[in-house]
Each structure stands twice: as C-alpha cells, then as structure tokens.
Amino acid sequence: MPFKLFDIDKEIPERKKHIYVKDEHNCEIDCNKSTIPGCMTERGCALAGGRGVITGAVKDAIGLVHSPVGCQYYTTGVKRYPSQPQLPNGEIFPIDNFNLKYSFGTDLKEANIVFGGMKKLKEAIIEANKECPFASAIYVNSTCTTGLIGDDVDAICKEMTEKIDKDVVAFNTPGFSGVSQSKGHHITNDAVFDRLVGTKEPPNTTQYDICLIGEYNIDGDLWVIEKYLTEMGLNILSRFSGDASHDELCWMQRSKLNLVRCQRSATYIADLIEEKYGIPYKKVDFFSCEYCSDNLRMLGRHFSLEEESEAVIEKYYGKVKEELEWYKEQLTGKKVYIFSGGPKSWHLSIPLEKELGLDIIAVASQFEHSDGYDKMKARVKEGTTILDDPNSLELEEMILESKPDLILAGIKEKYLSYKYGVPAIQIHSYENGPYIGYEGFLNLAKDIYNNINAPVWKLMEFKTE
Amino acid sequence: MSNFKENNMGGDSLHGKCHDKKFAVINPTRMCQPMGAVQAMMGLKNAMPLIHGSQGCATYMRFQLIRHYREPIEVASTSLSEKTVIYGGELNLLKALKNISEKQNPEIIGVMSTCLTETIGDDVNGMIKKFKDVNIGKNLPAMVSIPTPSYAGSHVEGYDKAVLSLIKHFARKMIPNNKINIILGNLSPSNLAEIKNIMKDLNVEPILLTDASENLDAPLTEETLELHKFGTSLEELRDTANSNATISVTKHNDSGAKYLEKVFGVKSISGSMPIGIKNTDAFIKSISDAMNVSIPKKIIRDRGRLSDVLVDAHAYNYRRKVAIFGDVDMVIAMARFTHEMGMIVEVLCVGTESPRFKKDLNELIDDMNHKPIVLENKDLHDFGMVLESNPVDLIIGNAYGAQIANRFNIPLFRVGFPIFDRIGAQRISFIGYNGGIKFVDAITNTIIDFYYDEEGYKFADKKLSFDTQSFETHI
Ligand code: SF4
Ligand code: SF4
C-alpha cells in the first residue's frame, strides 16, 4: 500500500494518489492538478507566482496590478526580497527597496467591470509614470476579474510603451489560470523572454558573464551567492530577478552561462534562451555546504577558475565548519517534516540528513511537478511520506500520528504546528535568514537548534510539584 | 535617516508635489469585501468561511490574517480554474460544501463571493439550495450566502454584510431575552474582551457580533484544533431578534441592526467607537439607557483612572501633532481620543468615503475647534505626500505606515490591521476606559522613547538660550 489515504480524506479518495509513502515501487505521484474545492490548500494563484515571486523582486520597475483593490493590497509588502538602489549604469535609484515599498493598482469599480477597465488602465499607467518618472519600466499584471472581462492588457501595454517611451510589460496572470502559483511563474518567464530578452545590450561584457536565474533574494540569499561568485571571478550580468534592474532582464542573451537556482519557477526562461541564443544553462544548488561546494567547483571547472573557486570554498566553509559540526551533534536523530512551496523539499532533504544529522520523515510541496517529485523520491529514504498540495487537515492528522521534532514550512503551517507543541520554522521566507550558502546554512542550523530547544517547550504542562 | 534619496532625475517625483491622481492607487489603505466578511466569520463558534472564487483570494486573506494574529486560521476556497470560470462555479461550490460538511462538519458555513464569481454571475443562493435538495435527510450545516463583490465597497462593508447576512439567516422571534446585541467590527481580541468586561460590570448580557476574543488569541494547549470552539454561537445569532436593542460600535456596520429594528422591532443604536473618555461615556450611557441599568462604582473608578493617566501623561503629549490612518470609525474615534490627550489632530486618512464619516468629522471639528487635513478615499501615497508639507510628531496606523514613519523619522504607533511587523496584534487595547489607559501608557511611552532622553527628560536643545557654564559657576 504505497499510497496513503488519510482518515480525514476518506470522503475524497482523489487525494490518495497525491500522498505516497516511499517504497521499492517508485510510484508516480499525482501532482500539478486542480485542488479539490473545499480543501484547506496552501496554494496561491498565478498572480502570486508572477508578481509575488518574480516581478515583485525587480528593484526599479513599477508593479501595477490591474484589478479591484484586494488583489493589489494582498500582493503589497508580502515577500521579503530586499534590493539595493545601485543600477548597472552606476546611477543610484532614488528610492531604495522601491519594490518592497510601493505597489500600484487600478482599483477597479463596478462601472469598470461593466464597461471594461482598459481606459482606466491607460490612465493609471500614465499617472504611475508621472508619479515615478525615474522608474525604468512598468509591469502590469492582469488578474481574475480583468482576465474574465477580457481587457486586452497586451494591446494597452504596447500602446503605452510608445506613448511614455518606456517598457510597459503585460503579464497575463489571472488567478484562475493554472492550478497554483506555478502557472504564474511560467507566464512570467514567457513574457520576460518574449518582451524583454534581447532588447538591450549590456554596457560591457566579459568572458565570465553569467545570469543567476531563479534566485529572488529572499532575506538576502542572492547576495550570499553573488558574493561567492564574484569573489571567484565571475561577473553577474543579470539576475532573474532578485535585486535585478529592469535593464538586466533585457540583456540576458549576452550571458556566457546561465545558472538556474530555483528550477521550478525559472527553468522555462533558461530553456528559451538556450533555444534561441544557444546559451547553455546549468541547474545549480547552493543550499547547504556540500551542494554549495560542489556547485562552486563545477563553475570553477567550467570557467577554468579552479583555484579561485577552491579559495572561496575554503574561506567561507572554513568559517562555519566547526560550528556546524557542533549543531550536527546536537540535532542528530531529530525527526523532521519539510513542507516547501516548491522544490526546497528536495533541495534540503539530503543536506539536512547528511550535514545536520536530522531524520526526514515527510516531504511535501504545494506546486511541484512530476520532475520535482522524482527528485524528491530519489532523495528520501523508504518509509518517508511524500505529499503533493497538502492541506492543514492532513498536516494535523500527520502530527497526531507521528509527532515530529520539527516542521520546516511556511507561515500558514507554522502556527498550526506550534499549537500542537511542535517546533516549526519558516523556510518559504525565513526566520533569521539568509539560509543559502555556507553562512546561510549555519543560520538555518541555528534557527533549527534554537527552535527545538526553546525553553517554552519544556514548560507546557502545569506541574504542581 | 530618510529613506528617500534625493531624486536626482528631475521632474515631479514620488516625493515631489502632490499630483491630483485619480486612476492609480499606490499602496492602498483598504482591503476588499470578502476579507471583512472573513474577519466577521472568525468570531463565530463552529463555523467555516468558504470563499467562492479562485484560490488566490482565500490564500492571500488567510496569509494576512495569520501573520497579523500569529494563529492558525482556516479559510476554505472553491478553487475555481479556467474551465470552471467558463462554465460557472457551481460544481466547485457543491463539491466544496460537500467536502467541508463531511470533513469538518461545522454548524455554519459562510459562503463569500469574490469579484470573479460576482462577475460570472454565479447564483450562490441557488447553488446552496441545490446542495440541500440533493442531500435531503442529511444533517447539514447551516449555509449562509454572503455576497461580497470587491469592486464595490471595502472590507468594512464586507464585515457589515456578513453580520447582516448572518442575522437575516438566523434571527427568529422567540421570547424576549433581556440582552443587548453589540455589532463590533474588526477589533482586536483584547478590545473585544474589554467590551465583555464592561458588560459584566454593567450586569448586562450581550450577544456579540461577532466575538473573536478567544478564537484569535488562543492558548498553546497541545490540543486538536478543529473549528473555533468559542465565539458567537448559532443559538445566539438566532436570539438576536429577542434582544432589547442593538448597538453598533462601528457605525458603518449597522445594517444588521437596522434589519433587526425593521423586522423585529429591536431598537438600533449606532454610536461612536468607545475610544477615549467622551465616546466611552456615550457608549456606557446608551447601554445603561437601553437596558435600564445603573452605572456601577467600578466603572466610575475606571473612568477616574483614565482621567488620571491623561493628566499624568499630558506634559509629554500636549501639542504633539498626530496623523492617523485606517478604517473610518476607528480613525474618527481615535482622533477624538488623541485630542482628549492634548495632541493636535493634524492629518486623517481613510480609504473610503461616506456621509457618516463626514458628519462625525464635522462634530469633531466643532469640538476640537481645529480643522485637520482630511484625506477621504485616498491611499498611503497621498497620505505620505501630505505629511511632506504638514510634518507631524507621530503616526497612528497599521504596519503599512512603517515606511512613511521611517521616511520622516517619526514613530509609528501601531493599531488596526494588519500588523505583521510587531508581536501582540491581538492584545492592542484602546476600547473603553481600561483599554484607554493601556493605550495612553503605551503611546506616551512611545513618545518618551523617541523624544526624551534615557532619564525621561526632554532632549535638551543644543543651543540653549543661556550659557550653561556660566550658569553653573554662578550657582
Ligand atoms: S478578486 Fe476581488 S475578492 Fe479576490 S482578492 Fe481581488 S479584490 Fe479581493
Ligand atoms: S482575484 Fe484572482 S488574481 Fe486576484 S488574488 Fe484572487 S485568485 Fe489571485
């Protein structure tokens, strides 16, 4: 019985094929399908995947959501992807963390729904540009309502690009398209490629130019990797899209090698660039010391910078090695669930076991596809539960069945887990990040150790003696 | 230090002069209707909110609620997708109702619509009826349709509509219960608890619409969670028709009260939010009138303690200029309170527009003998622009005000929703005399932290009007 039907799911047998307890049969998990209505899914919508994950990280573009006020409101200040005001041409963007601080929207009202929102969108683009003449571009996201009423956002953006002499880019991300935020990633990759890549030339190029694709700088992750790569002699020509400037996206075609960090949300654009411009890409992983070292070495070999890469590894690994060993001693044998949004489950499963001694007993993802589940299956031991699009009721049942020592998850699962007395930390955004690279892995270890050993867990019972 | 770097690119800019912008909203101050309805649902016992639309809306709202309250919160969605959008959301809604009934089996399911399903024109009531028809004989939850298209109104209307829909659905005339209905609006659990304390002191039994005081500030018990075990029950909702009166402490949430008055003759009283002395006095008085109870000494003592702290704090607070943004009824009541504290109400900003707000504002202006700058139907960008030319010492508002406060290097005192960047949003208190005491303590200490030195003295001006040294040698 490799598939598992939770008690709570007995009325919806469809859930059974989404939950697999790894055995020797290597069964195919149902995934990337519509969520069953009424399940307490953790999934978001295409707008969340597009604007929330990718375009919202760009530091100098206006993000304009074409919708009634809610969709705009809820995508404001949600992700923590800080940015620096330096632009590639050396100028300083006048507002730092502009991408975190400002959100624009068309605030559609009933009349706009009845008569269409195109006119208002046009005016809003002009106004936004007037308010922020220094912004490099305007990214317009359509949503459920504007998708449904059929506003031709593409046409308007095209027209406006000419009118205001600045890239106005349409991202057609109504929340109903696709089954999760994953579709929003895909739409956004395609739009950036179609509309932007190849439209500009970088001020200068070197033979060490790379694009770091699929890294969104959550809590400064990108800056950690960027530091390693720059120190070993590589030049980051473009980021997609953490701390990226609009222009960088337009000259991704000039890279010598593309690195794909988050492979769920950004392999699409790497494929497209390879196909059209013949630029190869490599899937990379910098979570944990081992993966980080492996990948830096691989890049060292690729660019004949072996010594340089070794120097970087030595420098940064050296700083954390001893401390990490101590954490491993303390954490060995602790049982853990990893509930990631996308691929972090398979990024982290082996490192957490090998490098921190943890025992992974369940992994889950909100929106991975079958290739991701193959990796997940390959990277956990038999008996581990693998879940697709899990919901809070299932998580509750799991906790009651086999209480773990720790859950790595998003904010929605975190507080649930706490109520059961189970330590939990956030890995979608982080507690005290960054979590990537050597120092990031140490931060993660620290957060894990301290969460498990918080004094409060021993004070749960009211003891009279 | 200011976060706004000098704009070196010329032209009008974000921190340049104020454009009269009409089409774009920049950093909105209001949320959409279903959010308000979900907030109201959070105060029901054994109930489940279900949002009929694409799942993004539900997930986003859940996320905001969770990061504000730091509690696990469930909001179900009918998860519409491309196909269902074309053919209508009926199958999804039926399936969701079935799933929730079977899995969680709540007593009440509140079905909120979204912009999407309103635009498609889904007939939620009809679908609920269909669901009942095919499940005849089964013990089903009560299912209430709450129409919440967001392109009209805001979360404030959403809360109002939820309460109205619940009352319409459940209220039944039985025997008089000698209770009072209180419609609350989205208040923190601590504020709700204070309303309950006041009622206890007055010896009046209330029916709270709705009571999230326990549900959203739950202890860590290692118990199974399931549905909310506290809050307003179905029986209480039914009993609202038999109360002596309904008080709406947020005037914009009084549709349910009006309905009860019209249909069941339950008197409707809309007052100001009981924040500060005058408003709390009015609140207590209207309850004592409606319920014919006398005001106990305890309440008078609490009032005296609030006056006491106002006097104690006054030296720190007087003439401090304050800017307040948020939900209409909170903003207007908070403005009055800060005026009672001796502050100068300089700027008020709300995301909506309403005649009632205007009326309240005029009253306030008369009482204060001072006219603040008022932004109605405006966003936080407009608010920041106004502060540019009208500097204040303090901002009162939710977490989204932090970057503005930061820009002007002034403190933000956090009230309202959402507050995701500080701990304890559940415990923010300003309602009643006791909440007022906590509020004055907290806000005054914020001012002292910011404008006074470590010993609590005002930062000495660098350029003193006399020469300290010579002064010292003279004594
Ligand atoms: S579609 Fe409407 S209901 Fe949904 S988040 Fe947007 S504004 Fe709110
Ligand atoms: S309306 Fe659509 S796009 Fe907007 S939040 Fe809801 S699901 Fe996402």
Side-chain angles (χ1 to χ4, degrees):
Chain A
M1 278 284 284
F3 286 109
K4 177 175 171 136
L5 188 66
F6 283 105
D7 273 349
I8 190 72
D9 290 336
K10 59 182 185 302
E11 318 286 351
I12 35 173
E14 303 97 298
R15 280 297 298 157
K16 186 169 173 179
K17 293 203 77 184
H18 293 266
I19 299 147
Y20 171 57
V21 180
K22 183 175 163 171
D23 63 357
E24 71 279 7
H25 297 300
N26 193 26
C27 297
E28 193 70 20
I29 298 170
D30 246 4
C31 60
N32 201 22
K33 294 220 166 117
S34 293
T35 298
I36 297 157
C39 287
M40 304 297 146
T41 178
E42 315 285 338
R43 281 175 168 179
C45 62
L47 174 70
R51 162 141 171 81
V53 173
I54 301 176
T55 52
V58 177
K59 61 176 140 195
D60 57 346
I62 290 171
L64 199 159
V65 181
H66 186 36
S67 69
V69 75
C71 313
Q72 177 198 357
Y73 190 97
Y74 306 128
T75 42
T76 306
V78 170
K79 282 241 162 184
R80 278 201 304 187
Y81 28 41
S83 61
Q84 279 170 341
Q86 282 80 11
L87 297 173
N89 62 4
E91 277 178 31
I92 301 290
F93 194 73
I95 298 169
D96 67 346
N97 286 306
F98 179 68
N99 60 319
L100 294 182
K101 290 177 178 166
Y102 287 91
S103 97
F104 297 71
T106 47
D107 186 16
L108 296 183
K109 297 286 164 54
E110 204 148 2
N112 309 124
I113 307 297
V114 178
F115 301 110
M118 313 238 286
K119 205 171 150 242
K120 196 164 186 192
L121 174 58
K122 264 191 225 174
E123 302 286 359
I125 290 170
I126 292 172
E127 248 176 27
N129 188 47
K130 216 157 112 190
E131 294 290 321
C132 302
F134 45 79
S136 311
I138 299 181
Y139 298 162
V140 180
N141 280 91
S142 68
T143 57
C144 288
T145 319
T146 46
L148 184 72
I149 61 176
D151 276 2
D152 190 348
V153 177
D154 283 303
I156 293 203
C157 289
K158 215 165 165 196
E159 185 190 329
M160 285 326 231
T161 301
E162 270 165 36
K163 177 144 193 194
I164 65 171
D165 193 25
K166 189 178 274 190
D167 283 326
V168 182
V169 188
F171 296 93
N172 289 306
T173 48
F176 55 71
S177 46
V179 301
S180 67
Q181 44 276 65
S182 182
K183 184 72 181 201
H185 306 145
H186 199 157
I187 294 167
T188 306
N189 275 243
D190 286 350
V192 168
F193 180 77
D194 288 343
R195 199 42 197 77
L196 300 179
V197 175
T199 59
K200 290 196 172 136
E201 288 299 327
N204 45 324
T205 54
T206 71
Q207 65 188 99
Y208 297 113
D209 289 343
I210 54 167
C211 293
L212 189 45
I213 292 176
E215 173 51 60
Y216 307 108
N217 203 25
I218 298 298
D219 240 2
D221 269 0
L222 181 133
W223 292 329
V224 174
I225 306 174
E226 187 167 327
K227 179 176 70 183
Y228 301 161
L229 299 180
T230 327
E231 279 187 32
M232 66 180 269
L234 297 176
N235 176 44
I236 310 221
L237 190 69
S238 303
R239 300 150 194 84
F240 180 95
S241 59
D243 197 23
S245 62
H246 170 71
D247 286 355
E248 287 171 42
L249 301 180
C250 303
W251 60 58
M252 288 171 77
Q253 78 284 0
R254 287 289 169 254
S255 152
K256 301 292 181 299
L257 178 71
N258 287 337
L259 309 183
V260 185
R261 220 281 295 139
C262 172
Q263 292 146 37
R264 174 76 281 126
S265 64
T267 309
Y268 314 106
I269 196 163
D271 274 327
L272 291 167
I273 293 175
E274 180 170 50
E275 205 177 292
K276 180 160 176 190
Y277 299 98
I279 297 161
Y281 69 85
K282 288 203 188 299
K283 297 181 174 176
V284 291
D285 190 344
F286 297 105
F287 282 110
S288 86
C289 300
E290 272 194 31
Y291 285 165
C292 191
S293 302
D294 288 351
N295 283 279
L296 292 176
R297 281 199 184 103
M298 175 274 289
L299 290 170
R301 279 193 303 275
H302 183 94
F303 286 99
S304 302
L305 294 167
E306 277 105 336
E307 262 171 48
E308 289 82 349
S309 66
E310 286 307 324
V312 169
I313 293 167
E314 207 185 300
K315 177 170 165 196
Y316 291 101
Y317 191 22
K319 279 187 195 159
V320 301
K321 205 168 168 188
E322 226 170 286
E323 224 177 312
L324 275 170
E325 266 155 28
W326 184 85
Y327 281 116
K328 183 174 179 181
E329 266 166 43
Q330 310 303 314
L331 293 174
T332 295
K334 300 279 183 207
K335 296 198 174 356
V336 179
Y337 300 168
I338 316 176
F339 276 51
S340 63
K344 263 188 207 126
S345 283
W346 57 259
H347 282 298
L348 287 172
S349 55
I350 292 179
L352 290 181
E353 291 200 329
K354 247 176 98 179
E355 296 174 57
L356 289 181
L358 298 166
D359 181 11
I360 310 300
I361 56 171
V363 286
S365 171
Q366 288 172 20
F367 54 79
E368 256 298 2
H369 299 192
S370 54
D371 54 336
Y373 284 104
D374 287 343
K375 291 204 189 81
M376 231 180 277
K377 278 186 287 187
R379 293 177 181 202
V380 295
K381 60 182 178 302
E382 279 187 18
T384 306
T385 310
I386 305 171
L387 303 90
D388 170 65
D389 185 19
N391 57 59
S392 26
L393 298 172
E394 291 167 354
L395 176 60
E396 280 186 63
E397 192 174 323
M398 279 178 74
I399 294 175
L400 293 175
E401 224 171 62
S402 64
K403 204 169 175 174
D405 298 301
L406 175 78
I407 298 179
L408 303 178
I411 192 168
K412 294 190 225 94
E413 297 90 356
K414 174 167 118 166
Y415 294 108
L416 181 92
S417 165
Y418 282 172
K419 290 290 190 219
Y420 283 103
V422 177
I425 61 172
Q426 296 182 69
I427 53 158
H428 300 188
S429 37
Y430 306 147
E431 305 288 337
N432 300 290
Y435 281 173
I436 215 163
Y438 305 105
E439 54 249 66
F441 201 59
L442 180 62
N443 288 340
L444 177 63
K446 265 185 206 163
D447 278 345
I448 290 176
Y449 171 82
N450 284 296
N451 202 282
I452 291 180
N453 291 294
V456 64
W457 303 126
K458 296 204 185 79
L459 302 169
M460 303 287 283
E461 245 171 275
F462 186 86
K463 290 189 186 126
T464 38
E465 288 120 62
Chain B
M1 205 194 69
S2 163
N3 265 317
F4 261 56
K5 304 266 155 38
E6 199 49 50
N7 165 30
N8 51 8
M9 302 191 182
D12 296 329
S13 74
L14 266 177
H15 76 313
K17 70 171 200 278
C18 189
H19 297 292
D20 190 18
K21 72 178 171 52
K22 287 200 262 331
F23 303 97
V25 165
I26 310 180
N27 298 349
T29 43
R30 84 192 126 80
M31 299 171 289
C32 60
Q33 284 208 46
M35 176 61 123
V38 169
Q39 287 171 336
M41 292 286 303
M42 291 290 120
L44 295 187
K45 188 174 168 182
N46 237 332
M48 176 56 70
L50 168 64
I51 297 185
H52 185 37
S54 305
Q55 66 207 2
C57 312
T59 299
Y60 269 132
M61 287 175 215
R62 224 173 129 200
F63 175 79
Q64 286 285 12
L65 290 160
I66 290 173
R67 67 179 185 157
H68 173 86
Y69 290 106
R70 297 175 196 261
E71 295 281 343
I73 284 169
E74 304 293 353
V75 179
S77 164
T78 55
S79 299
L80 296 195
S81 60
E82 227 135 1
K83 261 186 262 144
T84 41
V85 167
I86 299 167
Y87 302 114
E90 179 169 305
L91 280 179
N92 282 50
L93 181 59
L94 296 183
K95 183 117 205 215
L97 290 172
K98 175 173 178 286
N99 264 334
I100 295 170
S101 315
E102 280 166 353
K103 281 166 67 158
Q104 281 132 318
N105 192 23
E107 274 184 280
I108 306 171
I109 301 177
V111 185
M112 272 70 73
S113 58
T114 55
C115 302
L116 179 66
T117 47
E118 288 286 338
T119 313
I120 304 175
D122 270 359
D123 168 20
V124 172
N125 270 318
M127 295 175 191
I128 289 177
K129 190 166 171 296
K130 205 172 213 176
F131 181 71
K132 283 192 192 151
D133 290 347
V134 293
N135 287 291
I136 276 180
K138 282 195 198 146
N139 193 9
L140 296 176
M143 289 162 281
V144 186
S145 157
I146 307 172
T148 45
S150 284
Y151 41 72
S154 70
H155 62 287
V156 179
E157 278 88 352
Y159 194 101
D160 188 51
K161 281 197 183 152
V163 171
L164 174 66
S165 306
L166 289 165
I167 287 177
K168 268 193 179 166
H169 191 97
F170 291 109
R172 293 285 174 281
K173 197 76 188 169
M174 297 171 289
I175 40 167
N177 59 22
N178 199 29
K179 291 183 182 175
I180 190 157
N181 305 324
I182 307 182
I183 302 180
L184 294 150
N186 183 40
L187 289 173
S188 73
S190 287
N191 278 330
L192 296 172
E194 186 52 31
I195 298 258
K196 292 209 268 190
N197 289 338
I198 294 173
M199 294 304 130
K200 215 178 272 162
D201 292 341
L202 284 168
N203 212 1
V204 167
E205 232 189 291
I207 296 176
L208 301 183
L209 300 157
T210 65
D211 178 12
S213 59
E214 295 282 341
N215 296 340
L216 296 179
D217 192 6
L220 209 159
T221 51
E222 293 192 87
E223 268 179 24
T224 5
L225 286 162
E226 293 161 357
L227 299 154
H228 287 147
K229 292 193 192 75
F230 297 92
T232 315
S233 66
L234 194 150
E235 292 70 33
E236 284 177 294
L237 291 170
R238 199 173 283 152
D239 209 12
T240 48
N242 309 299
S243 300
N244 293 15
T246 308
I247 293 198
S248 313
V249 302
T250 49
K251 290 185 188 172
H252 291 81
N253 282 331
D254 66 357
S255 305
K258 293 231 176 83
Y259 174 85
L260 285 172
E261 184 168 65
K262 208 171 111 206
V263 178
F264 300 106
V266 180
K267 191 165 184 255
S268 159
I269 308 162
S270 309
S272 295
M273 256 195 189
I275 306 180
I277 296 223
K278 193 166 173 227
N279 285 342
T280 307
D281 287 357
F283 176 70
I284 304 259
K285 182 155 185 318
S286 54
I287 291 176
S288 106
D289 288 351
M291 301 303 287
N292 203 11
V293 290
S294 55
I295 298 164
K297 280 215 184 74
K298 156 100 176 32
I299 287 194
I300 302 300
R301 276 186 69 83
D302 288 344
R303 187 183 190 281
R305 286 163 60 235
L306 175 56
S307 314
D308 191 58
V309 70
L310 283 178
V311 174
D312 294 348
H314 188 259
Y316 300 104
N317 294 331
Y318 78 89
R319 297 222 169 177
R320 293 272 172 217
K321 286 186 178 169
V322 61
I324 309 170
F325 73 90
D327 294 355
V328 262
D329 294 307
M330 194 277 289
V331 164
I332 201 84
M334 190 62 79
R336 185 177 285 282
F337 193 19
T338 48
H339 165 70
E340 288 174 351
M341 290 172 72
M343 298 189 183
I344 298 173
V345 179
E346 187 77 3
V347 183
L348 300 177
C349 174
V350 295
T352 48
E353 219 167 348
S354 87
R356 275 182 273 196
F357 177 75
K358 289 198 175 76
K359 191 169 158 273
D360 284 358
L361 184 67
N362 287 333
E363 261 169 45
L364 177 70
I365 291 172
D366 282 348
D367 288 356
M368 295 196 301
N369 205 9
H370 157 73
K371 222 176 168 162
I373 298 165
V374 179
L375 303 171
E376 269 187 278
N377 197 8
K378 292 284 186 228
D379 55 36
L380 284 180
H381 176 55
D382 302 317
F383 182 62
M385 297 279 254
V386 165
L387 295 186
E388 200 80 56
S389 41
N390 302 276
V392 296
D393 301 306
L394 175 75
I395 297 177
I396 299 177
N398 64 41
Y400 285 115
Q403 53 148 313
I404 301 176
N406 204 11
R407 182 161 117 215
F408 298 113
N409 193 24
I410 52 175
L412 167 71
F413 190 83
R414 287 167 177 77
V415 300
F417 181 95
I419 296 165
F420 43 79
D421 57 346
R422 290 291 183 276
I423 206 122
Q426 310 96 308
R427 290 173 288 274
I428 289 174
S429 304
F430 48 72
I431 289 281
Y433 304 124
N434 285 319
I437 292 166
K438 287 183 199 153
F439 177 80
V440 176
D441 283 349
I443 203 165
T444 309
N445 286 332
T446 304
I447 286 176
I448 296 174
D449 279 343
F450 209 83
Y451 292 107
Y452 289 75
D453 68 14
E454 58 274 35
E455 284 161 53
Y457 293 100
K458 199 165 182 297
F459 278 125
D461 221 325
K462 295 255 166 48
K463 275 194 230 111
L464 292 174
S465 51
F466 51 87
D467 179 0
T468 359
Q469 249 183 343
S470 57
F471 183 67
E472 268 168 17
T473 48
H474 279 121
I475 46 170

